[in-house]
Amino acid sequence: RETGDGYPLSGKPLDPNSSAAKQYGFKVDTSFTLPDGTRPAGLMTAEDAEEAEKARQAKVAETVGKLPVDFDGRFKVGTVLRKKFDEEVERDENADANQNVGAEDDDGAEKWIEGKVVDVDKDDADNPLPYSVEFDDGTFEDLAHEELEVWVEARIKHQKTKERRAWEEEMERKRSEREAEREAKLADKEQKAAEKAAEKEARQLAKVREARDRAAAEAAAAEPTEYARSRPRRETAAVGATTFRDAGGGTLELHPMRKFSPSPPGSGVPGAQPFKLTVSPAAMLVMDLHAHLCTNEVIGYLGGSWDPDTKSLTIERAFPGRGVASGMDVEMDPIAEVELKSQVEAQNMKVVGWYHSHPVFEPTPSGVDINNQLNYQRLFRDESVGVEPFVGFIVGPYDMRLPNQVSSVTAFCAQRLMKAGATEDIPFEVSYGLSDDKDVEPLTVGSMAAVVVQNKSTEGRVNPTELWRPFTTFENFKPGGGPCTKLAKLRASLCARLPAGMSKLREEEIMDGVAKTIQTSWGVDLGY
């Protein structure tokens, strides 16, 4: 039951606690009770209503802070409020229009205006609009307590938002300062690490030089070993020949390689390749380039890693060495051997293979090659898995019978087998795959330049402008194409070793770099 006009046009009773009921001065009749003495839901006593109002004000205070009110609950003179700007509100005719009033608020498209309480009517308790408010545009308006309360709360919330933004900006500034400080410390740490690495490299280089000098002194003082005196040394009998003479006049024949069974490499199946082999394009580039630079045989080590669990051998880089004699000698300089092993270890790799060249004939191992390979395999045998993870590569750059300009390269290992009561050393061709490199690293480019400079005074150095053969291709015993110089042959062969997918521009950049290094370090005019 309601007293007064408690029904809106819809005919539904007003909620006595609604803002509309309070605005109209509607009050709950707390005297009404049901026959059983209880009150209907929604009705409350004056004491209950007072407690509810206190709870509501406490909630407001908790949300937006303590409101600026007097001891009697009235807002103080000077209280600042903030209301939505209404274009239709009548303005004082004498007030100057403020062009900034109604400016767009930071929170969105709504427009607000601020004001403050200039007078409070405390004499007339029944005055529904006891507050006189002056707005920033010079207008005045009388407001009810409830309406003013909402606008004061809006002002306090707005102030808290500004303070929150200022706090967030301060936190962002401090975060930026911390980030700058962290980056500065990181840069300093990297600088110190680089200096430490440089010092370590200098110490390693000093050790290498010391070991080289010591090995040179020992080599000069020591007598040649029986093996060194009697070791066969290859000399070409004639261009294109398939047999070679050793120092005693005997022949050194090339031994055709056998193939392993088609079972997966490293599977352990009888007859299968004993390990899986993966080679990087970087190693192939350096091996092929080294072989092209000299008409004599060249030699070097291969650095990489060995995984006994998967029986996988990986070749990451080639380390060019030096020979100690002229002709087709493949004996490595003992001083160069010490240097190469130190270089391999300095790059956290192990020696996992060797390579040499057959400059003008097919890359098939000779008896000497097989004997050297067996010696290496015994030295690097992994007893834990019963495998000898060491491989030999042979590069044939200038064989006149090549089908195109790309050098022929083979990988091999060897086995000593019993046959008819006697031992026979057999070479086996090793299959391999290439790693999926995307580009040629600066380290590889530097290694290519270094091997060019290293061979500028080598005996048997090639003349890059010399004609390799008067044709480019040789397929089905038929020559094709125009004449091909050794420089053109080198460029074409190295291009075939570059990672797949490399742009033509990048290919030309790398090949031109090699040619320019040859021109400047060898003193040969190649037109660059």
Side-chain angles (χ1 to χ4, degrees):
R1 187 164 69 112
E2 293 85 10
T3 62
D5 296 331
Y7 291 85
L9 292 178
S10 65
K12 296 181 179 180
L14 277 174
D15 180 358
N17 296 317
S18 67
S19 59
K22 292 180 180 180
Q23 183 176 358
Y24 295 136
F26 177 71
K27 299 180 181 179
V28 177
D29 183 3
T30 58
S31 63
F32 177 77
T33 58
L34 295 175
D36 60 359
T38 61
R39 292 186 180 88
L43 299 182
M44 62 180 70
T45 65
E47 292 79 7
D48 293 340
E50 184 178 354
E51 291 297 326
E53 176 63 15
K54 290 181 179 179
R56 187 190 67 79
Q57 289 189 3
K59 183 66 175 178
V60 170
E62 179 184 354
T63 305
V64 299
K66 184 173 177 61
L67 300 179
V69 295
D70 291 323
F71 63 91
D72 59 355
R74 296 277 187 174
F75 285 99
K76 296 177 181 179
V77 172
T79 299
V80 180
L81 64 152
R82 190 168 185 262
K83 63 170 284 187
K84 288 185 179 179
F85 180 70
D86 187 353
E87 297 286 357
E88 298 180 359
V89 173
E90 296 182 0
R91 304 299 179 191
D92 191 288
E93 295 180 358
N94 297 324
D96 294 331
N98 189 338
Q99 298 298 325
N100 293 328
V101 172
E104 184 173 320
D105 188 75
D106 294 340
D107 297 331
E110 294 180 340
K111 298 178 180 179
W112 296 76
I113 185 172
E114 290 194 351
K116 64 179 179 179
V117 177
V118 295
D119 187 37
V120 181
D121 184 3
K122 298 183 179 181
D123 298 331
D124 187 359
D126 295 330
N127 183 1
L129 305 172
Y131 297 98
S132 179
V133 178
E134 180 183 6
F135 291 98
D136 288 348
D137 62 351
T139 61
F140 290 84
E141 188 171 347
D142 293 333
L143 301 175
H145 183 89
E146 291 79 7
E147 189 173 14
L148 186 65
E149 184 179 75
V150 173
W151 292 348
V152 171
E153 291 177 2
R155 173 67 173 78
I156 294 175
K157 287 183 178 179
H158 177 67
Q159 185 64 28
K160 287 184 176 293
T161 300
K162 291 175 63 177
E163 293 174 356
R164 175 69 182 182
R165 288 176 180 171
W167 179 82
E168 289 177 347
E169 290 175 357
E170 178 66 13
M171 291 300 101
E172 177 62 22
R173 183 187 65 79
K174 291 182 178 180
R175 188 199 64 78
S176 299
E177 290 178 353
R178 290 195 300 270
E179 182 67 19
E181 183 180 357
R182 188 190 68 82
E183 291 179 356
K185 289 182 179 179
L186 181 61
D188 183 62
K189 183 178 180 180
E190 291 177 349
Q191 176 66 23
K192 290 181 179 179
E195 293 174 356
K196 187 175 180 180
E199 293 175 358
K200 182 178 179 181
E201 184 176 358
R203 289 195 299 270
Q204 290 178 340
L205 182 59
K207 290 181 180 179
V208 169
R209 289 173 177 171
E210 182 182 353
R212 179 190 62 189
D213 295 342
R214 184 169 58 252
E218 293 174 354
E223 289 292 330
T225 63
E226 182 65 25
Y227 173 76
R229 286 195 296 268
S230 60
R231 180 187 178 280
R233 302 182 184 276
R234 292 195 290 268
E235 298 174 355
T236 52
V239 175
T242 57
T243 58
F244 299 86
R245 296 192 303 272
D246 63 13
T251 61
L252 290 174
E253 297 182 355
L254 302 181
H255 296 255
M257 292 177 290
R258 297 184 185 181
K259 292 185 178 295
F260 288 107
S261 73
S263 299
S267 62
V269 176
Q273 186 171 305
F275 49 79
K276 179 182 178 181
L277 178 62
T278 303
V279 188
S280 71
M284 297 295 293
L285 279 167
V286 175
M287 281 193 287
D288 200 6
L289 173 59
H290 192 190
H292 275 90
L293 300 179
C294 191
T295 58
N296 296 333
E297 285 192 9
V298 298
I299 190 171
Y301 278 148
L302 300 173
S305 60
W306 160 246
D307 186 349
D309 295 332
T310 60
K311 294 183 181 178
S312 300
L313 190 66
T314 303
I315 295 175
E316 300 176 25
R317 291 196 59 202
F319 295 82
R322 297 190 303 271
V324 295
S326 61
M328 289 296 198
D329 195 355
V330 75
E331 185 80 14
M332 185 179 288
D333 185 334
I335 298 178
E337 184 175 10
V338 174
E339 292 177 346
L340 290 187
K341 288 182 178 179
S342 298
Q343 291 176 21
V344 174
E345 294 172 357
Q347 297 189 30
N348 297 321
M349 289 183 281
K350 298 180 179 179
V351 178
V352 295
W354 69 300
Y355 73 91
H356 70 285
S357 65
H358 288 178
V360 294
F361 55 98
E362 65 185 81
T364 300
S366 68
V368 176
D369 297 333
I370 297 170
N371 187 58
N372 288 339
Q373 177 65 25
L374 286 171
N375 289 334
Y376 279 127
Q377 288 178 192
R378 282 192 292 269
L379 183 62
F380 289 91
R381 179 177 176 82
D382 186 347
E383 295 292 351
S384 65
V385 291
V387 175
E388 298 172 344
F390 198 92
V391 65
F393 272 78
I394 307 176
V395 184
Y398 294 120
D399 186 352
M400 295 287 286
R401 295 163 296 181
L402 287 174
N404 50 46
Q405 297 163 295
V406 181
S407 302
S408 180
V409 180
T410 57
F412 76 101
C413 63
Q415 293 182 7
R416 180 159 290 170
L417 306 177
M418 294 295 298
K419 184 176 180 181
T423 59
E424 182 179 5
D425 296 339
I426 306 296
F428 284 83
E429 183 176 3
V430 175
S431 63
Y432 60 90
L434 295 175
S435 59
D436 187 21
D437 294 357
K438 303 301 181 184
D439 197 359
V440 177
E441 297 179 349
L443 182 62
T444 304
V445 175
S447 297
M448 294 170 70
V451 73
V452 170
V453 175
Q454 177 182 318
N455 284 270
K456 67 179 180 179
S457 302
T458 299
E459 186 177 355
R461 190 191 76 184
V462 301
N463 179 0
T465 62
E466 186 178 43
L467 188 67
W468 169 44
R469 63 185 184 187
F471 47 88
T472 302
T473 61
F474 187 69
E475 298 178 350
N476 298 322
F477 302 100
K478 294 181 180 180
C484 181
T485 65
K486 291 184 177 179
L487 177 62
K489 199 267 180 205
L490 179 151
R491 289 181 67 109
S493 187
L494 294 186
C495 279
R497 312 294 179 197
L498 294 173
M502 182 176 290
S503 67
K504 292 295 182 182
L505 184 63
R506 177 62 174 152
E507 289 182 3
E508 290 297 318
E509 179 185 357
I510 295 173
M511 293 302 104
D512 287 348
V514 172
K516 290 177 181 178
T517 304
I518 293 175
Q519 177 175 272
T520 55
S521 63
W522 290 11
V524 180
D525 185 8
L526 300 180
Y528 289 93

